[in-house]
Amino acid sequence: MSDGALVAIHNRKITATVVLNKPLPLNCVDQGYQYICNLIGFFGLNIYISLVSADETNPKTEEAKVGYPTYLENSNLKPLLEDSSFTVEFDWNEDFGTPGAILVRNIHTTEIYLKTITLEDVPGRGRITFICNSWVYNVEKYPKDRVFFANKTYLPNQMPKLFRKYREEELKILRGNGKGKLKEWDRVYDYAVYNDLGNPDAGPQYKRQTLGGSAEFPYPRRGRTGRPPTKSDFLADAFKAFPQNIRPFLEFKAGDREFTSFNEVLRLYDAPFCTLIINEKLQQPFRYPLPQVIKYDKEAWKTDEEFAREMLAGVNPVLIRRLEEFPPKSKLDPAIYGNQNSLIRRKHIKDNLDGYAIEQALTENKLFILDHHDPLMPYLRRINTTTTKTYASRTLLFLKDDGTLKPLAIELSYPHPEADIYGCVSEVYTPTEDGVEGSIWELAKAYVAVNDSGYHQLISHWLNTHAVIEPFVIATHRQLSVVHPIHKLLQPHFRDTMYINALARQILINAGGVLEKTVYPSKYAMEMSAVVYKGWNFLEEALPVDLKKRGIAIEDKESPNGLSLMIKDYPYAVDGLKIWFAIEEWVKNYCSFYYETNAMVQQGKELQAWWKELREEGHGDLKDEPWWPKMQTLQDLIHSCTIIIWVASPLHAAVNFAQYPYAGYLPNRPTISRRFMPQEGSPEYDKLKSNPENVFLSIITSMKSTLIGVSLIEILSKHSADEVYLGDRRDPDLWTTDAKPLKDFNDFGNKLRQIEGKIIQMNNDNTLKNRCGPVNVPFTQFVRSSKPGLTGMGIPNSVSI
């Protein structure tokens, strides 16, 4: 705060309330934290705050008037364990004009988290609030004092002229210079490729491919930034506890015990688990919560109906598609992979079509497929050189008159032993309940579940939500001012995303990390996701487009919102479309308030820079794809923002929070297969006659991987106590001063609450058999709100876990 820029202001006092949060990093230890609190209490906070005028200039500098600083007094200090409020007073008179910004200087050595500053009863102007939500470090860490704007919303050309310099300087600081190693206090959002997954110094087995920056392995850019946004101790405590909880399991040796029966697996949930494993490293008794999939009925997960229903309402309900030709054909290049077309034939399914001929079933939209063949086959030979032994799968299903699906056939394939050019070797399995054949059918479904679990974790969950949304977070902070309407619209949907992704790179998706230990692609997992990213299309992330692409929906002018579903009782689609169109209506109302014409979109300096950078840098490996919106019309803006919010909020909720309810019981969602299908004449095949459970458990996920995986998804499926859900904001009445957007947002929240009630009503309708299924687990992924903990419901605003 340069003395030459300060203006003495007298006559009146303005009272202000300053709200701070716990001032230390989330991983602080309690004793160290208490020590710092004592220091602060003794020496004072030494935080200086000055008002900046929005409409009056300093005659000496011809810049905005800056008032003399006030500071937080020692006598007002409380222990900063939660939000703490402080009262300060500013000198003010009419000549100073309207305070539109504040400058903050932290003289103390300890950083503080500044939430809000509220000026009470400014004469003629009422209350003025500054939403800060930011760490403020010691003044020596910054080239200039921190600036925070009042909660008004401005397009760049509407910004008060005196503040345009501050606005531009803030964005310049956030963009950085692209050089040097960033420290935690650096407020820089920058791009980087995924070159941090491997650790070759630890040995050649930890070397991993760099993802991003090449045509062979394209990838969304990750960010490198300073301090993450604050959150309660939930994330830090959870991930700090996670390695401690699983360390004994990570130290298991190959000779350690395996599950031998389903009853033994069930003991994970009904008895302290340390009594089950003879291992001195497990010193504290514990047990896992009972997953919903086995809460009502311990056997219902095995049924064919439940196996098929989870493709519509389970943890990965985003892949099933309508079968358009029979037999199914591969899109893999035959010059490289030979003949990869399906070997499923009429003889396999014709007697199980409830009287329909195959052609009739195709024409009347009765046949569907879960296809894990093409994405997996190019990597399968390499994957099977690891401890994984698995297949690429195709599952054909029939839509019954009661709206449920039944599996018709499962095809399991592996690369030809001699070379890829010779195609694949395939075996087709059909439903049966009795004897060894019935056990073989159960194993065929398990191999499909292994495929689906890995694809879910790598693609549906990590790539298609966490990874693809991060470039939007970075570009928004770099190119859109905090007072820009689109920044204000999207900011709640970016909370903690970069933080959680950084944690994932450290312990989950890194070489030798938890993901490689618990899903079938093993060390090829992330590389495989890069190959899938080649086919990613931003516009196809829109739910209506996705459903039409998969043949699940068709355009129908007579239907609500112009779409008709081929599977009427498809909970993910039915509920998702309600949420999608509610978001779209809110975004349309909001964007139309600030952008009245297409020309305003085209001429938006920050907006155009944002979209250009997002396309060319954030998703730069796909920058030349023709499907990118041009951002030349209001509709481009509305549709793009709707997709961004959909991906960050409802889509992520749909594929994340049902993990523990369904996959917490690993036999239902195994993530690894360790042996191939038992062949007739082998000891394993003979053992199927006497002990099929033992053979099943010896093939799927091991005890060690089960314990690691269940520990992980228990954390990932939990809501924190301070979670903010779709239709709510941390600052619901303060994020803007514009009345219409505030009203529209309130209407949006009310609409979501109505949808929540409708979902609960449908879940209680016994004629909708896919809503709960044989396991009696209602579809609640799109129930908007939730209590903390494991609930299987709730739509948080952002990818924050």
Side-chain angles (χ1 to χ4, degrees):
M1 300 173 189
S2 170
D3 291 340
L6 301 181
V7 176
I9 47 181
H10 303 291
N11 301 334
R12 300 191 185 185
K13 296 286 186 181
I14 297 177
T15 301
T17 302
V18 181
V19 180
L20 304 181
N21 194 270
K22 185 173 179 177
L24 287 185
L26 293 178
N27 60 356
C28 66
V29 295
D30 292 339
Q31 288 183 344
Y33 169 64
Q34 189 59 53
Y35 175 72
I36 294 295
C37 279
N38 292 338
L39 283 179
I40 294 174
F42 184 78
F43 290 110
L45 280 172
N46 292 326
I47 298 168
Y48 292 83
I49 306 169
S50 296
L51 301 180
V52 185
S53 176
D55 42 35
E56 295 294 335
T57 59
N58 182 333
K60 295 181 180 180
T61 64
E62 296 185 354
E63 295 181 350
K65 282 185 178 179
V66 178
Y68 276 107
T70 188
Y71 61 95
L72 302 187
E73 299 197 21
N74 299 359
S75 59
N76 289 335
L77 183 68
K78 304 180 207 174
L80 300 181
L81 296 171
E82 301 294 342
D83 288 357
S84 296
S85 299
F86 303 85
T87 299
V88 296
E89 288 186 334
F90 293 94
D91 291 320
W92 180 89
N93 67 20
E94 197 65 44
D95 292 340
F96 185 78
T98 303
I102 53 172
L103 298 178
V104 179
R105 176 182 292 184
N106 180 11
I107 306 298
H108 204 281
T109 56
T110 299
E111 66 270 27
I112 56 103
Y113 190 82
L114 180 59
K115 294 192 72 175
T116 60
I117 298 178
T118 303
L119 305 181
E120 307 289 350
D121 196 23
V122 180
R125 293 141 178 103
R127 174 180 291 181
I128 300 176
T129 301
F130 304 85
I131 305 293
C132 305
N133 287 327
S134 179
W135 292 96
V136 180
Y137 282 77
N138 179 269
V139 63
E140 294 182 359
K141 306 297 185 185
Y142 303 121
K144 295 186 177 183
D145 295 322
R146 293 293 308 277
V147 60
F148 298 96
F149 299 109
N151 60 337
K152 291 183 176 293
T153 305
Y154 297 108
L155 293 170
N157 64 335
Q158 298 168 345
M159 189 81 173
K161 291 183 179 180
L162 295 176
F163 284 171
R164 292 180 186 179
K165 181 190 75 168
Y166 287 114
R167 179 173 181 150
E168 292 169 359
E169 287 178 346
E170 267 291 284
L171 287 173
K172 185 177 180 180
I173 290 171
L174 291 168
R175 287 193 286 267
N177 60 14
K179 300 177 182 178
K181 183 178 180 180
L182 296 175
K183 304 296 192 299
E184 64 180 41
W185 52 81
D186 285 321
R187 299 172 52 240
V188 173
Y189 289 80
D190 206 353
Y191 300 98
V193 296
Y194 280 69
N195 58 1
D196 60 344
L197 300 178
N199 184 18
D201 292 341
Q205 69 271 31
Y206 295 107
K207 184 178 180 180
R208 294 294 180 270
Q209 187 69 50
T210 294
L211 306 183
S214 70
E216 185 178 7
F217 299 111
Y219 221 65
R221 296 300 186 263
R222 65 175 177 91
R224 59 186 190 99
T225 186
R227 184 62 169 239
T230 190
K231 195 174 175 78
S232 74
D233 283 341
F234 172 73
L235 281 179
D237 290 347
F239 277 93
K240 186 163 53 176
F242 176 65
Q244 297 171 2
N245 289 343
I246 69 168
R247 186 172 292 115
F249 310 143
L250 291 172
E251 294 173 357
F252 272 15
K253 297 179 180 178
D256 286 322
R257 288 190 52 196
E258 296 288 353
F259 295 117
T260 59
S261 68
F262 293 143
N263 281 335
E264 196 171 43
V265 179
L266 289 173
R267 289 179 60 191
L268 285 171
Y269 316 102
D270 61 16
F273 189 56
C274 69
T275 64
L276 178 62
I277 300 177
I278 308 301
N279 188 318
E280 69 280 2
K281 297 182 186 300
L282 286 173
Q283 299 177 355
Q284 297 298 321
F286 74 96
R287 58 186 168 201
Y288 294 109
L290 187 66
Q292 286 178 269
V293 74
I294 54 171
K295 187 172 289 187
Y296 172 76
D297 187 325
K298 299 294 190 295
E299 302 290 328
W301 64 272
K302 298 180 183 178
T303 64
D304 286 358
E305 181 181 341
E306 180 60 23
F307 170 72
R309 185 194 76 92
E310 290 184 21
M311 300 176 198
L312 303 175
V315 70
N316 194 29
V318 298
L319 290 183
I320 187 171
R321 61 180 175 85
R322 181 166 55 86
L323 187 66
E324 297 179 350
E325 60 179 348
F326 182 86
K329 292 183 179 179
S330 172
K331 294 182 180 179
L332 293 175
D333 186 352
I336 300 174
Y337 298 105
N339 182 7
Q340 295 285 338
N341 293 333
S342 175
L343 291 185
I344 300 175
R345 296 294 183 260
R346 291 177 181 272
K347 64 180 181 180
H348 295 121
I349 67 172
K350 63 182 179 64
D351 295 330
N352 203 14
L353 296 176
D354 294 358
Y356 284 81
I358 292 177
E359 292 75 12
Q360 180 187 12
L362 279 171
T363 302
E364 297 188 20
N365 304 316
K366 289 284 189 178
L367 295 178
F368 295 83
I369 185 171
L370 182 68
D371 194 343
H372 287 299
H373 184 95
D374 284 7
L376 178 54
M377 184 57 71
Y379 274 85
L380 192 53
R381 189 183 301 277
R382 280 171 284 176
I383 289 171
N384 282 340
T385 64
T386 69
T387 55
T388 294
K389 300 294 181 281
T390 197
Y391 304 90
S393 66
R394 293 183 178 104
T395 305
L396 261 58
L397 305 110
F398 177 77
L399 179 62
K400 298 164 60 178
D401 290 342
D402 66 357
T404 63
L405 292 170
K406 66 175 179 179
L408 298 173
I410 292 173
E411 180 181 29
L412 301 180
S413 306
Y414 61 90
H416 194 282
E418 294 185 17
D420 289 347
I421 190 62
Y422 295 109
C424 60
V425 178
S426 299
E427 187 72 30
V428 178
Y429 302 89
T430 56
T432 184
E433 297 181 359
D434 300 325
V436 176
E437 290 77 12
S439 299
I440 292 291
W441 173 246
E442 292 301 315
L443 285 173
K445 292 193 293 183
Y447 286 113
V448 172
V450 167
N451 280 188
D452 198 59
S453 294
Y455 194 94
H456 161 260
Q457 221 40 296
L458 282 172
I459 310 303
S460 303
H461 185 198
W462 167 257
L463 175 64
N464 287 346
T465 61
H466 284 259
V468 301
I469 209 66
E470 188 161 356
F472 291 90
V473 183
I474 301 168
T476 299
H477 283 90
R478 285 169 57 89
Q479 299 297 341
L480 297 179
S481 167
V482 292
V483 296
H484 194 288
I486 302 305
H487 185 117
K488 286 182 177 257
L489 171 68
L490 297 178
Q491 185 273 333
H493 305 289
F494 297 154
R495 182 193 182 204
D496 284 333
T497 297
M498 293 183 69
Y499 178 34
I500 199 67
N501 285 1
L503 281 174
R505 293 194 300 274
Q506 294 173 20
I507 64 174
L508 298 183
I509 64 174
N510 58 309
V514 175
L515 195 69
E516 290 191 356
K517 294 180 183 297
T518 57
V519 298
Y520 70 85
S522 187
K523 65 181 182 179
Y524 299 106
M526 291 300 292
E527 184 178 319
M528 187 172 139
S529 73
V531 174
V532 174
Y533 174 66
K534 292 179 182 180
W536 182 77
N537 182 325
F538 175 71
L539 292 180
E540 290 176 355
E541 294 297 294
L543 181 59
V545 177
D546 168 58
L547 293 173
K548 287 188 285 186
K549 178 188 176 184
R550 291 192 280 128
I552 299 294
I554 60 172
E555 294 184 4
D556 181 357
K557 294 181 180 180
E558 302 300 322
S559 297
N561 300 312
L563 289 176
S564 179
L565 293 175
M566 298 296 96
I567 304 175
K568 303 300 181 186
D569 184 15
Y570 183 178
Y572 169 78
V574 172
D575 298 0
L577 286 171
K578 289 181 171 59
I579 300 291
W580 167 270
F581 286 114
I583 295 171
E584 185 179 60
E585 181 182 15
W586 149 238
V587 173
K588 180 180 179 180
N589 289 337
Y590 181 86
C591 291
S592 300
F593 179 80
Y594 295 102
Y595 291 91
E596 298 176 359
T597 65
N598 292 336
M600 292 181 68
V601 173
Q602 297 162 13
Q603 296 165 12
K605 178 182 177 182
E606 290 182 11
L607 185 71
Q608 292 300 322
W610 169 66
W611 195 249
K612 183 177 188 292
E613 181 175 288
L614 185 281
R615 185 180 69 252
E616 296 182 359
E617 299 290 337
H619 284 279
D621 296 333
L622 303 180
K623 64 182 179 181
D624 295 324
E625 295 296 329
W627 40 256
W628 281 106
K630 305 302 182 186
M631 202 53 69
Q632 294 296 297
T633 67
L634 176 58
Q635 183 55 37
D636 284 346
L637 178 61
I638 292 169
H639 193 54
S640 297
C641 289
T642 302
I643 294 174
I644 293 168
I645 295 172
W646 168 259
V647 171
S649 188
L651 179 60
H652 178 259
V655 298
N656 184 73
F657 293 102
Q659 288 189 84
Y660 195 84
Y662 285 101
Y665 183 63
L666 256 291
N668 183 54
R669 295 282 297 179
T671 59
I672 295 174
S673 53
R674 297 173 287 159
R675 296 177 177 83
F676 292 118
M677 181 73 82
Q679 299 300 307
E680 190 169 2
S682 68
E684 291 81 7
Y685 189 91
D686 292 338
K687 194 174 182 180
L688 280 172
K689 301 175 183 177
S690 59
N691 197 343
E693 288 187 10
N694 184 271
V695 176
F696 184 99
L697 292 168
S698 72
I699 288 177
I700 67 163
T701 315
S702 67
M703 177 183 284
K704 175 179 176 179
S705 294
T706 294
L707 298 173
I708 297 171
V710 172
S711 297
L712 171 63
I713 62 173
E714 182 187 2
I715 292 173
L716 296 182
S717 302
K718 283 182 176 178
H719 291 292
S720 65
D722 69 341
E723 193 66 84
V724 183
Y725 296 95
L726 190 64
D728 289 332
R729 293 181 71 116
R730 296 167 71 184
D731 45 7
D733 300 320
L734 301 177
W735 59 279
T736 183
T737 57
D738 294 322
K740 187 176 186 305
L742 285 172
K743 179 184 181 302
D744 289 339
F745 185 72
N746 184 65
D747 291 344
F748 172 54
N750 289 334
K751 182 69 174 290
L752 293 175
R753 293 175 183 87
Q754 293 172 7
I755 293 171
E756 182 174 329
K758 179 63 175 175
I759 290 172
I760 295 172
Q761 180 182 345
M762 289 188 291
N763 285 342
N764 291 323
D765 186 344
N766 293 331
T767 66
L768 301 174
K769 296 181 180 296
N770 295 325
R771 303 294 309 191
C772 299
V775 294
N776 197 29
V777 178
F779 183 79
T780 55
Q781 281 98 304
F782 288 140
V783 170
R784 187 196 68 88
S785 59
S786 172
K787 297 182 295 185
L790 288 170
T791 65
M793 63 179 68
I795 308 176
N797 268 329
S798 63
V799 178
S800 58
I801 186 64

